[in-house]
Amino acid sequence: MSAGNDGSILVTGAAGQLGAVGRTVTGLLLERGLPVRSMVRLEDERAAALRAAGAEVVLGNLLEPADVYRVVSGCRRVYFGMSQSAGYLEASVTMAAVAREVGVKALVNMSQMTVSQMSIQNTTPSPQQRQHWLSEQALAWSGLPVITIRPTVFLEGFFLPLTGPAVRERGRIELPFGRGKTNPVSAVDVARVVAAVLADPVSHLGRIYELTGPRSQDMYGVAREYSDALNREVTYSDIAPEDWERELNRVGLPEHLTRHLVTMAELNRAGRYDRRTAWSG
Ligand SMILES: NC(=O)c1ccc[n+]([C@@H]2O[C@H](COP(=O)([O-])OP(=O)(O)OC[C@H]3O[C@@H](n4cnc5c(N)ncnc54)[C@H](OP(=O)(O)O)[C@@H]3O)[C@@H](O)[C@H]2O)c1
């Protein structure tokens, strides 16, 4: 599949909010000299930056089928990723319907590593994880040429915001993760994988890529890393899960995200984020 005959590569969620995988993928594809259509929700400074970098910027809502049809039309390669939210499954099935109609030749689907441990008999209480699991099922039924990306928790867009403020203000990591180990992956590394697949998808079609970082460690280990990097003592405080949930509710996170985070903590305590995929860096 060459850039010459299959139009622009569509990147959804390109403005970037947390992990900003779509924004980084846009930059990496442009660096390779490939034509990129970046889908954003709003005409703001992030859209202007994408345009200045050389992307064709298109506005649209992934929950609106007509918008999705408009932005996918003319593209044969697509990256599908969107903020974790209640409409995730609807958006991904809408994308699948449109991609079939338009004749997409490679659809890179952002999923989550937890899905690899899920089945009909063994789901999790996180609505986001369930939606990713269902979305992978629906994409498989669609018959589309899909490449599935299953990263573990993102370092920059997720893990650092969860730990950073308490480290800054109180010199403590405050999370209900027990002694569970976790292995965050850089969202930039995830974007590198997505860009490499989009640039030359043929050998990747049908594959599932599980992505972790290089080291799995518990929060005591992470606290030691903070201490070394900041040159001051940072400790880990294994707080009660109920206290954390109360705090998440207090700051007003959407229920969808609160349920996801509470589940993540539970899975961390149970050692389910103690994963490591092959790494040669
Ligand atoms: N964070 C993690 O630790 C982690 C780990 C593994 C997998 N993942 C998966 O990675 C994906 C999120 O990736 P990310 O962190 O790169 O995303 P992100 O930075 O949060 O960006 C997602 C973008 O999606 C856009 N968006 C949201 N709703 C939309 C809609 N209805 N129509 C069009 N655009 C919409 C947002 O636009 P606005 O900025 O305008 O709101 C945002 O820019 C999710 O599938 C998540 O499950 C995340």
Side-chain angles (χ1 to χ4, degrees):
M1 211 176 288
S2 77
N5 59 12
D6 65 348
S8 293
I9 302 172
L10 175 66
V11 176
T12 69
Q17 202 179 42
L18 284 172
V21 171
R23 188 174 65 217
T24 310
V25 167
T26 297
L28 291 169
L29 293 173
L30 290 170
E31 272 172 26
R32 288 173 181 247
L34 295 166
V36 183
R37 181 181 294 172
S38 296
M39 182 185 186
V40 299
R41 269 208 283 205
L42 301 167
E43 183 54 68
D44 58 13
E45 70 284 352
R46 299 173 304 172
L50 289 165
R51 203 173 284 117
E56 174 199 1
V57 177
V58 290
L59 264 65
N61 182 347
L62 285 162
L63 293 166
E64 285 298 333
D67 286 8
V68 178
Y69 183 75
R70 174 173 48 78
V71 303
V72 177
S73 291
C75 296
R76 295 288 174 269
R77 291 175 273 179
V78 174
Y79 163 70
F80 174 74
M82 177 176 122
S83 318
Q84 309 201 17
S85 52
Y88 207 94
L89 179 61
E90 184 180 341
S92 100
V93 173
T94 303
M95 173 58 78
V98 170
R100 276 170 61 97
E101 177 79 15
V102 168
V104 165
K105 299 274 190 296
L107 175 62
V108 179
N109 175 41
M110 174 57 75
S111 186
Q112 289 194 356
M113 194 151 176
T114 335
V115 172
S116 61
Q117 300 170 326
M118 291 169 78
S119 65
I120 290 172
Q121 304 288 355
N122 186 18
T123 56
T124 78
S126 155
Q128 183 69 26
Q129 289 168 351
R130 285 191 181 188
Q131 292 197 24
H132 275 302
W133 179 70
L134 284 167
S135 158
E136 284 197 24
Q137 307 275 312
L139 287 170
W141 305 329
S142 76
L144 281 162
V146 174
I147 302 102
T148 307
I149 310 292
R150 289 183 185 163
T152 185
V153 62
F154 292 167
L155 182 67
E156 308 89 330
F158 210 82
F159 196 72
L160 291 181
L162 279 183
T163 52
V167 167
R168 195 164 40 242
E169 288 154 28
R170 296 182 285 284
R172 282 201 301 265
I173 293 176
E174 295 168 350
L175 284 175
F177 282 13
R179 296 207 70 103
K181 290 184 177 178
T182 187
N183 189 348
V185 63
S186 165
V188 175
D189 286 342
V190 174
R192 286 196 184 109
V193 171
V194 172
V197 169
L198 286 167
D200 195 3
V202 172
S203 62
H204 304 286
L205 297 177
R207 303 283 300 267
I208 297 173
Y209 294 112
E210 300 191 334
L211 306 174
T212 70
R215 187 180 312 139
S216 186
Q217 60 184 339
D218 62 20
M219 289 302 117
Y220 296 99
V222 176
R224 274 193 299 278
E225 282 207 43
Y226 264 117
S227 302
D228 291 346
L230 298 173
N231 204 20
R232 64 184 168 88
E233 192 185 21
V234 174
T235 56
Y236 169 46
S237 177
D238 182 16
I239 60 175
E242 315 76 62
D243 292 346
W244 197 51
E245 186 167 355
R246 207 171 301 115
E247 178 60 16
L248 296 174
N249 285 325
R250 191 190 64 78
V251 297
L253 282 188
E255 170 73 9
H256 180 92
L257 269 186
T258 302
R259 295 276 7 117
H260 178 59
L261 290 170
V262 166
T263 304
M264 271 186 64
E266 202 179 302
L267 295 178
N268 266 285
R269 288 195 297 280
R272 295 263 299 271
Y273 277 78
D274 181 13
R275 307 286 299 272
R276 180 168 168 184
T277 49
W279 189 78
S280 59

